[in-house]
Amino acid sequence: MTVSTFATGLRAMLTAGAVLCPAVAGAQAVDYQALQETIGEPVTTSVTGKPQRASELPASAIIITREDIARSPARDVPGLLKTHAGIDVNRWTAGQSDVSVRGGVQTYNARLLVLVDGRQVYLDHYGMTDWNLLGVQLEEIQQIELVRGPANALFGFNAASGVVNIITRRVGQTPTVTATAELGNHDISRLAGSVTLPVTPAIGIRLAGVRAREDERRIPATLLRPAMVSDVASDQVSGDITGSFDGLETVLGGGHSTNRQAEYLPSQLLSNQRYRSDNVHASATRDTGWGGVTLGGYVNWLDVQYGVGATADATEPLGFKNRIIVTQASTLVRLGKTDTLRLGGEYRNNRLRSAYQFAERISYDVGSANAMLDLHPDEAISITAAARIDRLWLHQAGAIAQPSYDVASDFDRAFTRFSFNVALLVQTDARGQLRINGGRGYQLPSLVNYGIRLPIITPAPVPIFVAGSPRIDPVGVWSGEVGYARTIGGTQIEANAFVTKTDNAIASPGDGLQTELFLTPLPSLVARFTAIGDYTTYGTEVSASGAVGALTWRANYTWTHTDEQLASLTLPIPYALSPKSTTPVHKANLALGYDIGRLSLSGVARYTSSTRQFAFSSTPQLLLYRVDDAVALDARVGLRLTSALEVYVAGENLALADGAAVSPIPADRRVRAGVRLAL
Amino acid sequence: MCGVAALGSATPLSAELNVPIAARVVSFLQPGPAGTVAAAIVFEPGNAASEAEAAAIERAIGSGLAAGRSAIRARRVPVGAIGSLAGFRLAFVTTGLRPEHAGIAAAAARSSVLTISSDPACVQTARCVVGITSGPKTQIIVNRAAARAANIRFGSAFLMLIKEI
């Protein structure tokens, strides 16, 4: 059955996504900066859970260091990731970004797990990441780690296409202050600062905060839009206390973040959202002669309102309150001189409260156990195997909304999933390295996918609801990768070939709602979140980097091909999911950096081939809009006035390429100037 | 420049000790050192290579070199006076002292002194705890037996990133 979906309230049909259940990688006791300075290259724990050199990882990974961040024209984490191979960043609106790894571009991407110091900042209610609600600012980041490909065996549900772990700076032996103030066109303003303070040799304090504002882009009149569109506003404060006591490292902290912005929902309706997030976290890591033990936990609270000010009469927004409680324990055991075993366990409770779902509370508990074995049978060979088992119990509680389209017992459900990763790394000679890996992971349906029940306003003679389904299954992902890296002179080259197969991808109802008819107590129609089919992504990534004198350079090219067996794209389009349409086939990036005296120059050129992206027309009708291929130019010029003070000018999309944002809303040019203090 | 190659070692030998890296290695000791870390620069008077490396280490340390929460301060100790390393936490073993390695190791073990050398042979023969070599990648080698003999322990994250023999 086909029904056009538009209503005055744009009653945000919260659409597709999937929750993930990440597991903290722990290892907070690792002093990344000190280790990097000691061994001469970045160190990460995000691939296997043990500290590893960037050049010896059993999976394809990106590590963006503090130095990279300081000289980049980018002003947020997606902006830093977008210039790397295999990464798609869609700037749907001025505030809303989605980061996709190796294809599968969609709004509210549920397949990429995002962590800050191992704590999940991915939002479980809908299965998405609000990159303006991370609670961390660029000035306090030590490094950003991105693992391409499923990493479920370490992190659990939802690291289905990869994981981003943002590592913040540790409190050192001397106080530090960083502060940035900048202004730009489109009413860009940003004031950020962070302080680290060693109170005693063993105890340190870190405080950080940011206030950022900018205007929304101009939305073409041909696109459906709320009567009022929010500009972007985000405010964050965070702090923690760290302790270091002869091999015992402790962290206790918390944060508060708010964000307001316009977003494309998974249904592709444009809606204003208001987020508020709070967290507390604690961890303790004990270093021992045989390895180490980490205990940790955190609580995240999210209060989000959808459809804020969607109409001039300010229709009441839809409110959702999500709370997750996570406790984790893991141990790293050194087996002999070269091998490592990691064992971990996790429990999490995830609860969503809203008037717009089957019952007042939809929740689940997940118990997990995982193991990783890293073996080095030969100096030139390493074999890594990781496995994880997750058991989920789904629940509902509180008053059941009437009329209901499921029975309460449907939510009395449990299932188990087993995920794994295996990798072989061969040092072919002193300068070459072959990597083969693969794995199986899962994307968990979000709490919205399970339990939403949202009336929508249509001209239809019977009520229509968008609903989740307690019977929906996790999305399975198979992946495989072959990579080769080589150093030739001062040039580092890496080539990867990958395949990722996604089974039973979940989609939100779009246009032309496919509905179930219920006759009692009164006739009504229900359109559900559902699994609509499979898709497979193949591709290659080629990257090279090096330096010529004071000039540093980095270049990469990505080819991505998608085969999909999903819902029809003929009008009316029933589901807004088509990775084949939305993922660029070709991408290329060239980044240059040059330091001359006190002057620091950097620039990035990014090519993205044309795509088609979903959006509702003003008619309203769900359509695929062509987004032209684009060459986007970003640049930054910095002048150090003193060793601690720098003034800079930076700009994004300087050539004003409409397709640079890979969004139905054309990109604009954003230029800003600022001053940066680092003491 | 050390003159170890003249000794005919089959193992590729590095240039003089990378002292800043050595200082960072010290910061990974467990328990972590605090305050002043007294370091001995073990050298052989009259041995040009040894004296040259000793001078280079002195220059690198200057009046004090930070190592985590501590500061390294060093003074020369002739290998002939190595009988006791009491009072030192750290000893830089300069190149050209291979015949003396056994004695240095014994003294270090008695006083729980961390020995660091740019001569891989000292580490490979379990006479020194840490070897630091240069090349395309910084290579840090820790000898487990020598570390145990001197009751030296490093943080596990550090040990997972270096080569332990």
Side-chain angles (χ1 to χ4, degrees):
Chain A
M1 180 165 182
T2 297
V3 181
S4 282
T5 62
F6 178 66
T8 55
L10 252 202
R11 309 287 276 181
M13 310 190 312
L14 315 180
T15 22
V19 166
L20 59 107
C21 272
V24 168
Q28 295 308 301
V30 174
D31 187 339
Y32 293 85
Q33 179 74 24
L35 290 169
Q36 177 180 337
E37 290 172 352
T38 305
I39 65 168
E41 60 179 311
V43 171
T44 178
T45 61
S46 291
V47 177
T48 63
K50 65 171 271 191
Q52 292 177 292
R53 293 173 182 248
S55 62
E56 297 176 356
L57 298 175
S60 177
I62 297 164
I63 299 179
I64 300 171
T65 64
R66 226 172 104 201
E67 294 73 27
D68 298 331
I69 295 169
R71 68 188 311 173
S72 168
R75 57 198 170 108
D76 57 16
V77 175
L80 289 159
L81 295 172
K82 70 185 178 186
T83 63
H84 291 267
I87 308 299
D88 285 293
V89 172
N90 298 73
R91 301 276 198 187
W92 305 115
T93 64
Q96 182 193 17
S97 298
D98 267 297
V99 178
S100 306
V101 180
R102 294 178 169 172
V105 168
Q106 62 183 110
T107 55
Y108 276 41
N109 178 23
R111 297 154 55 87
L112 181 68
L113 178 59
V114 182
L115 314 169
V116 172
D117 292 329
R119 179 181 59 81
Q120 169 186 329
V121 291
Y122 174 102
L123 303 177
D124 274 336
H125 72 299
Y126 224 135
M128 51 86 76
T129 297
D130 177 353
W131 294 93
N132 287 326
L133 198 75
L134 299 180
V136 65
Q137 51 181 308
L138 296 186
E139 287 77 4
E140 60 179 322
I141 294 175
Q142 172 64 35
Q143 64 188 34
I144 301 168
E145 307 166 350
L146 186 149
V147 182
R148 302 182 184 98
N152 296 78
L154 180 61
F155 294 101
F157 287 130
N158 297 340
S161 71
V163 62
V164 172
N165 195 6
I166 300 167
I167 308 296
T168 57
R169 294 176 64 186
R170 284 168 63 104
V171 180
Q173 295 308 304
T174 54
T176 65
V177 176
T178 59
T180 302
E182 63 182 28
L183 293 170
N185 64 350
H186 299 284
D187 280 341
I188 291 174
S189 67
R190 181 171 179 271
L191 186 62
S194 71
V195 176
T196 66
L197 184 66
V199 179
T200 73
I203 296 175
I205 293 175
R206 182 180 58 184
L207 297 170
V210 64
R211 180 189 190 277
R213 301 287 184 273
E214 66 181 301
D215 287 348
E216 184 48 71
R217 301 203 298 264
R218 191 185 67 79
I219 300 171
T222 53
L223 298 179
L224 184 65
R225 50 172 284 169
M228 296 183 297
V229 176
S230 295
D231 292 325
V232 185
S234 62
D235 300 282
Q236 303 170 15
V237 291
S238 62
D240 55 38
I241 302 173
T242 57
S244 180
F245 313 97
D246 284 341
L248 176 66
E249 303 271 343
T250 60
V251 180
L252 174 64
H256 170 78
S257 306
T258 62
N259 175 222
R260 185 189 70 224
Q261 61 191 18
E263 297 178 336
Y264 273 109
L265 298 166
S267 60
Q268 299 306 128
L269 288 168
L270 190 62
S271 170
N272 299 312
Q273 269 70 260
R274 184 185 298 144
Y275 296 87
R276 173 188 164 132
S277 169
D278 299 277
N279 75 83
V280 293
H281 55 88
S283 68
T285 299
R286 177 75 187 178
D287 197 87
T288 71
W290 47 265
V293 178
T294 299
L295 300 173
Y298 57 85
V299 183
N300 291 353
W301 294 271
L302 174 72
D303 186 344
V304 56
Q305 295 185 309
Y306 286 86
V308 177
T311 62
D313 60 1
T315 304
E316 184 184 354
L318 312 178
F320 290 83
K321 291 186 177 181
N322 183 205
R323 186 213 61 200
I324 62 172
I325 301 172
V326 179
T327 58
Q328 297 162 325
S330 65
T331 181
L332 268 176
V333 182
R334 300 178 63 231
L335 306 174
K337 295 170 181 171
T338 58
D339 304 333
T340 311
L341 172 69
R342 182 184 188 276
L343 299 172
E346 178 185 293
Y347 164 79
R348 69 172 50 218
N349 172 266
N350 202 340
R351 183 186 76 188
L352 186 64
R353 297 174 61 190
S354 175
Y356 299 95
Q357 52 187 15
F358 172 81
E360 184 183 354
R361 293 187 297 280
I362 304 293
S363 64
Y364 57 69
D365 297 278
V366 179
S368 311
N370 64 81
M372 184 282 298
L373 187 60
D374 184 41
L375 300 175
H376 297 253
D378 181 271
E379 201 159 318
I381 297 174
S382 74
I383 300 168
T384 307
R388 177 173 174 125
I389 189 165
D390 292 274
R391 175 78 173 167
L392 181 146
W393 296 267
L394 183 65
H395 317 284
Q396 58 80 31
I400 295 174
Q402 298 297 334
S404 67
Y405 301 108
D406 298 288
V407 294
S409 60
D410 290 341
F411 285 85
D412 184 15
R413 181 189 176 200
F415 57 78
T416 302
R417 289 294 183 274
F418 174 76
S419 53
F420 70 92
N421 292 94
V422 290
L424 170 68
L425 192 66
V426 180
Q427 201 75 37
T428 56
D429 57 33
R431 295 181 176 275
Q433 196 177 68
L434 176 68
R435 183 185 62 245
I436 302 171
N437 64 33
R440 170 72 161 166
Y442 291 92
Q443 169 198 324
L444 190 65
S446 69
L447 287 162
V448 162
N449 290 163
Y450 281 128
I452 194 172
R453 176 190 173 280
L454 186 66
I456 58 175
I457 301 169
T458 76
V462 294
I464 297 179
F465 289 82
V466 167
S469 169
R471 295 166 294 281
I472 205 163
D473 284 325
V475 179
V477 179
W478 283 102
S479 74
E481 174 190 84
V482 177
Y484 182 71
R486 185 159 195 86
T487 302
I488 302 173
T491 302
Q492 295 175 327
I493 300 171
E494 180 177 349
N496 300 316
F498 64 85
V499 58
T500 304
K501 184 175 188 303
T502 302
D503 301 324
N504 299 316
I506 299 169
S508 158
D511 201 357
L513 297 177
Q514 297 195 347
T515 56
E516 302 167 34
L517 174 62
F518 287 78
L519 296 174
T520 57
L522 293 171
S524 56
L525 297 168
V526 175
R528 294 200 189 257
F529 284 82
T530 189
I532 63 166
D534 310 331
Y535 64 92
T536 304
T537 307
Y538 311 86
T540 57
E541 302 152 350
V542 181
S543 306
S545 61
V548 181
L551 176 71
T552 59
W553 62 275
R554 178 167 57 81
N556 58 69
Y557 166 75
T558 305
W559 171 76
T560 309
H561 172 79
T562 307
D563 289 334
E564 65 182 31
Q565 300 82 43
L566 299 171
S568 166
L569 295 177
T570 56
L571 300 180
I573 299 172
Y575 296 99
L577 180 64
S578 173
K580 183 179 178 66
S581 304
T582 55
T583 303
V585 175
H586 304 284
K587 294 188 292 287
N589 299 289
L590 173 63
L592 301 174
Y594 189 74
D595 289 338
I596 176 169
R598 294 183 297 151
L599 201 59
S600 169
L601 310 171
S602 64
V604 181
R606 298 181 293 113
Y607 170 75
T608 309
S609 63
S610 65
T611 58
R612 294 187 300 158
Q613 303 295 341
F614 290 103
F616 270 90
S617 69
S618 54
T619 329
Q621 188 174 33
L622 182 61
L623 300 174
L624 274 165
Y625 286 85
R626 178 182 167 87
V627 177
D628 290 337
D629 57 354
V631 176
L633 299 176
D634 303 343
R636 182 182 190 278
V637 178
L639 176 65
R640 285 193 308 278
L641 302 177
T642 70
S643 60
L645 193 64
E646 182 194 43
V647 292
Y648 63 88
V649 178
E652 295 169 289
N653 194 27
L654 297 174
L656 206 54
D658 282 354
V662 202
S663 166
I665 301 174
D668 54 24
R669 179 194 296 126
R670 305 231 161 184
V671 180
R672 64 197 196 277
V675 58
R676 184 170 185 271
L677 175 71
L679 294 172
Chain B
M1 173 78 185
C2 63
V4 208
L7 299 175
S9 168
T11 307
L13 298 175
S14 71
E16 63 192 26
L17 183 68
N18 187 328
V19 178
I21 296 295
R24 292 187 177 111
V25 169
V26 171
S27 72
F28 293 108
L29 282 171
Q30 291 290 345
T36 299
V37 173
I41 304 173
V42 183
F43 78 110
E44 184 178 39
N47 181 326
S50 176
E51 289 200 348
E53 190 176 18
I57 293 170
E58 279 181 327
R59 281 195 302 274
I61 292 177
S63 58
L65 182 63
R69 294 178 189 163
S70 63
I72 298 172
R73 297 185 195 279
R75 67 179 172 86
R76 292 195 192 202
V77 174
V79 71
I82 196 70
S84 172
L85 283 173
F88 291 101
R89 181 84 191 270
L90 171 65
F92 296 109
V93 181
T94 59
T95 192
L97 303 183
R98 288 188 180 179
E100 311 298 335
H101 282 172
I104 296 170
R110 281 196 299 274
S111 301
S112 292
V113 170
L114 168 64
T115 46
I116 302 179
S117 178
S118 63
D119 183 353
C122 190
V123 185
Q124 286 158 1
T125 55
R127 305 302 193 193
C128 290
V129 177
V130 174
I132 300 173
T133 64
S134 301
K137 286 201 295 189
T138 303
Q139 182 77 274
I140 300 169
I141 304 169
V142 170
N143 188 295
R144 178 180 281 194
R148 281 183 175 161
N151 195 27
I152 298 291
R153 193 168 78 79
F154 288 101
S156 58
F158 170 73
L159 290 175
M160 289 176 194
L161 292 165
I162 53 88
K163 182 177 180 182
E164 192 177 22
I165 60 176

